Amino acid sequence: MGEERFGEFVLVRRHEEGGVVELVLDRPKAMNAVSTEMARSVAAACSALGGDGTVRVVVLTSTHERAFCVGADLKERNSFSDADLLRQRPVSRGAYTGVLELPVPTIAAVHGFALGGGFEMALACDLIVADRTAVVGLPEVSVGVIPGGGGTQLLPRRVGAARAAELIFTARRVEAEEAHRLGLVDQLVEAGEDRAEALSLAARIAANSPVGLRAAKRALRLGQGLDLRAGLEVEDAAWRAVAFSGDRAEGVAAFNEGRVARWPGQ
């Protein structure tokens, strides 16, 4: 297993099997509160992973025992002038868009608190696995701002406009079982099992065609919000991008020969 650090607070851990990579939030003294430095590091790590053709699935995890991420570093922001806050905005935004724009499937492994920007980072992933200690929410209006890491756009895509409005307007925290029932998270596991289950899910996903996975994610993301006819055109373009690939040829051959595919990844 190889590891690479991006700044002080972000670790990339490469698992030996199948192109599964962990993007680890590692600022335990602050419960992974997203400071300016940490935001830069998340963005840099995502840029590196996005350009790496060997990566098949990214799992977003935390080193803190009681928190995935508690959101923006409000202690840092308390010292900001208006000009400081304005300068920080593109840096902060880069962390969330970095996760959102990863071209491979992404899974968040959530335990404990995932609040504000922490929950938004999870929402930027394709799937969220949470354990029974998880508490999620977007409390930004309670401190005079709004979700600014994609929450107002990503949450209604998960749970619908009215449910998202209720959660954002009340700023309430949602515990694990209700979060699962409402669709705020996708899988609910026993306490302490979120990382293991997310990595297991990642391994199952990574066994499939790298070309197919990237194209399927592209079609899913680009098709959101389009009418059906336009969405089907997005799907057709993605199909054409993979139909004549080496992965498609290998997949068909492996199926007919009754063996495990050896994906060329192109």
Side-chain angles (χ1 to χ4, degrees), residues 44-215:
C46 288
S47 178
L49 293 174
D52 185 343
T54 68
V55 176
R56 297 190 184 182
V57 185
V58 173
V59 180
L60 188 59
T61 64
S62 161
T63 59
H64 197 285
E65 293 182 356
R66 294 185 294 108
F68 173 74
C69 173
V70 294
D73 187 341
L74 297 184
K75 289 184 179 179
E76 178 188 60
R77 289 195 179 181
N78 191 49
S79 67
F80 280 4
S81 66
D82 288 353
D84 291 332
L85 186 60
L86 191 60
R87 278 192 296 270
Q88 193 217 30
R89 175 59 177 163
V91 177
S92 174
R93 194 175 178 191
Y96 302 105
T97 57
V99 176
L100 184 65
E101 293 176 358
L102 282 167
V104 297
T106 50
I107 306 167
V110 173
H111 59 266
F113 297 112
L115 300 172
F119 188 38
E120 288 176 298
M121 208 169 288
L123 288 171
C125 294
D126 299 301
L127 297 167
I128 302 174
V129 175
D131 81 358
R132 292 186 180 277
T133 70
V135 178
V136 306
L138 296 176
E140 284 87 348
V141 298
S142 70
V143 292
V145 291
I146 69 165
T152 65
Q153 305 305 304
L154 294 169
L155 188 59
R157 283 168 165 78
R158 271 189 164 266
V159 299
R163 178 68 69 190
E166 182 263 322
L167 293 167
I168 291 170
F169 294 164
T170 62
R172 72 183 179 94
R173 299 180 177 189
V174 183
E175 296 188 358
E177 289 198 15
E178 184 185 6
H180 186 233
R181 187 171 69 251
L182 296 180
L184 300 174
V185 304
D186 302 300
Q187 292 188 30
L188 184 62
V189 297
E190 295 304 315
E193 295 298 316
D194 55 297
R195 177 177 177 268
E197 178 56 34
L199 288 171
S200 176
L201 176 58
R204 296 197 298 275
I205 292 171
N208 296 306
S209 158
V211 171
L213 289 172
R214 287 174 179 248

